[in-house]
Amino acid sequence: DSGVTQTPKHLITATGQRVTLRCSPRSGDLSVYWYQQSLDQGLQFLIQYYNGEERAKGNILERFSAQQFPDLHSELNLSSLELGDSALYFCASSAGSQGVGYEQYFGPGTRLTVT
Amino acid sequence: DAKTTQPTSMDCAEGRAANLPCNHSTISGNEYVYWYRQIHSQGPQYIIHGLKNNETNEMASLIITEDRKSSTLILPHATLRDTAVYYCIVRLRDRGSQGNLIFGKGTKLSVKP
């Protein structure tokens, strides 16, 4: 158990819909990262937050957004869903300050299926 | 971050040592070698990291060559539960604002009874 929790575990929704994925980092970790893993793309970095502020963006679509709340949990919002958005979405957290990337601990993931 | 090269797949007999190689010939002096693994569809799991000295923890050992151009992750007594994709990642420990990991394709290790 990494100490990172993600909800829900599974999500099935239709094209065009909007969903929210939730992540709670390990106790004391200030950085949260979101990654997407689809069959043909492997693990891709989406976005990073540190202590409530966006720190880095990867290959995140404009239809996707995220935020980190004062209690440090984070949410990833996916809108206008397409079939190609079906994937595993992982959240990771790390200690470290000022966005420094130390060892990252991953949650169990949310499997999103868009039909 | 330096590029890494890993074999696509490897087999190992249960109870034997699994030695997973990684080439990183363009590594710079302040870049670390990190290893993560992903058991089928689970979240990636941090294993170990090192700079230039060999490292050991409860999960594995990391052997880095003297010129730092390659390394080997050793699982001393592989079990069926070690079947996973193993990722070798080379990066600065402090990358400023960008702390994300860049995953390649990794090595699929199959531990067989």
Side-chain angles (χ1 to χ4, degrees):
Chain A
D1 184 359
S2 67
V4 178
T5 61
Q6 289 187 248
T7 57
K9 286 187 179 179
H10 301 278
L11 199 48
I12 301 174
T13 188
T15 54
Q17 294 299 303
R18 172 189 170 94
V19 297
T20 297
L21 313 183
R22 182 188 169 104
C23 167
S24 292
R26 291 189 319 158
S27 177
D29 283 357
L30 298 177
S31 282
V32 168
Y33 310 80
W34 287 96
Y35 293 84
Q36 178 192 55
Q37 186 174 35
S38 55
L39 278 175
D40 56 348
Q41 291 291 327
L43 274 158
Q44 299 283 318
F45 167 67
L46 295 178
I47 197 165
Q48 175 197 356
Y49 277 81
Y50 169 73
N51 202 20
E53 293 187 3
E54 182 183 304
R55 281 287 173 167
K57 267 187 174 180
N59 301 319
I60 188 166
L61 300 172
E62 286 191 12
R63 302 183 284 109
F64 296 0
S65 65
Q67 54 184 328
Q68 186 179 27
F69 295 86
D71 67 353
L72 300 178
H73 91 271
S74 177
E75 293 181 356
L76 179 67
N77 301 296
L78 315 176
S79 62
S80 302
L81 285 167
E82 302 175 358
L83 295 178
D85 298 328
S86 296
L88 277 166
Y89 291 84
F90 291 106
C91 167
S93 73
S94 70
S97 60
Q98 302 301 319
V100 171
Y102 284 76
E103 297 77 60
Q104 294 185 17
Y105 296 87
F106 285 75
T110 293
R111 181 178 293 279
L112 173 66
T113 302
V114 182
T115 62
Chain B
D1 297 336
K3 182 184 165 81
T4 62
T5 303
Q6 299 179 252
T8 302
S9 63
M10 294 182 65
D11 289 343
C12 177
E14 188 177 20
R16 304 297 294 268
N19 297 286
L20 293 97
C22 179
N23 285 319
H24 32 79
S25 59
T26 60
I27 192 170
S28 63
N30 54 355
E31 286 184 311
Y32 285 73
V33 180
Y34 284 81
W35 284 84
Y36 283 76
R37 74 179 182 183
Q38 185 176 25
I39 297 169
H40 180 64
S41 294
Q42 296 182 21
Q45 178 186 24
Y46 164 77
I47 301 174
I48 199 168
H49 75 277
L51 182 62
K52 51 186 174 183
N53 297 321
N54 297 337
E55 302 288 344
T56 295
N57 63 21
E58 64 279 2
M59 287 184 68
S61 294
L62 174 60
I63 309 297
I64 303 174
T65 58
E66 193 169 342
D67 63 7
R68 304 208 326 120
K69 293 185 177 183
S70 65
S71 60
T72 301
L73 179 75
I74 301 173
L75 308 178
H77 305 287
T79 71
L80 299 179
R81 288 178 294 179
D82 292 320
T83 292
V85 178
Y86 288 76
Y87 298 97
C88 170
I89 300 170
V90 171
R91 51 162 289 163
L92 295 172
R93 192 158 197 230
D94 179 351
R95 290 175 74 222
S97 63
Q98 290 206 319
N100 58 285
L101 296 168
I102 300 173
F103 290 88
K105 296 189 183 301
T107 296
K108 178 163 177 53
L109 175 68
S110 298
V111 180
K112 300 183 184 299

